[in-house]
Amino acid sequence: MLNVAVLMGRLVADPELRHTPNGNAVTTFTIAVDRGYVKAGAERQADFIDIVAWRGTAEFVCKYFRKGQMIAVEGSIQTRSYTDRDGNKRKAVEIQANNVSFTESKRSSDNGNYGDHSYGGSYNNNSYNNNNSYSKPAAEPAPAYTSGDTGDFEEIPMDDDLPF
């Protein structure tokens, strides 16, 4: 079975960090996701998706994201039932975030000019340690190149007339 949701949208409000009685960090936030189609003569529609993030992911979201910023969320769809104040049975559908990422440049978000350029910031639940603190994922080591046999490569002359 598979339950994976990947969404990209804009935060409709600043996320707020809360804590459970056990001390676990949690935040709920909503993102507006444009629909992929537009009816002729109508404005583009958006869906408003509720997201829940726990522990380090919640802390990361609340620290680095603000209303209007673009965010990418990977997680799973979860449903829960509850009874409202009037005694009516309700069902909530939300995304449990496993991984969140920036999707625009820092410069764009600082200026309020939102572009779709990533600058590589993300948080994955696997980066959360048992001390209730965020630890950055280990950086990938830079590839090491050695001077080996170049017999399989052909040197292209620098004459501005590229073969493609």
Side-chain angles (χ1 to χ4, degrees), residues 4-57:
V4 177
V6 179
L7 301 167
M8 187 168 70
R10 296 203 182 275
L11 286 156
V12 300
D14 287 346
E16 293 181 28
L17 189 64
R18 298 183 321 246
H19 289 85
T20 65
N22 294 345
N24 292 325
V26 63
T27 187
T28 57
F29 56 95
T30 302
I31 61 173
V33 180
D34 285 341
R35 292 186 181 167
Y37 61 90
V38 179
K39 291 182 182 177
E43 288 188 34
R44 180 172 294 278
Q45 298 290 310
D47 292 302
F48 295 87
I49 312 292
D50 294 327
I51 314 287
V52 178
W54 291 90
R55 297 177 182 83
T57 306

Side-chain angles (χ1 to χ4, degrees), residues 55-110:
R55 297 177 182 83
T57 306
E59 292 170 359
F60 179 79
V61 168
C62 291
K63 184 174 181 179
Y64 294 108
F65 289 92
R66 297 290 169 256
K67 177 182 179 179
Q69 276 186 289
M70 185 80 74
I71 187 172
V73 178
E74 179 270 322
S76 59
I77 300 169
Q78 292 193 355
T79 60
R80 59 184 171 84
S81 298
Y82 65 96
T83 304
D84 68 11
R85 293 180 189 150
D86 299 328
N88 300 317
K89 292 194 180 228
R90 301 279 183 186
K91 187 178 208 178
V93 177
E94 53 201 13
I95 305 299
Q96 295 285 323
N98 294 327
N99 189 13
V100 296
S101 301
F102 296 102
T103 59
E104 56 196 354
S105 69
K106 183 165 177 24
R107 188 174 331 132
S108 294
S109 63
D110 286 346

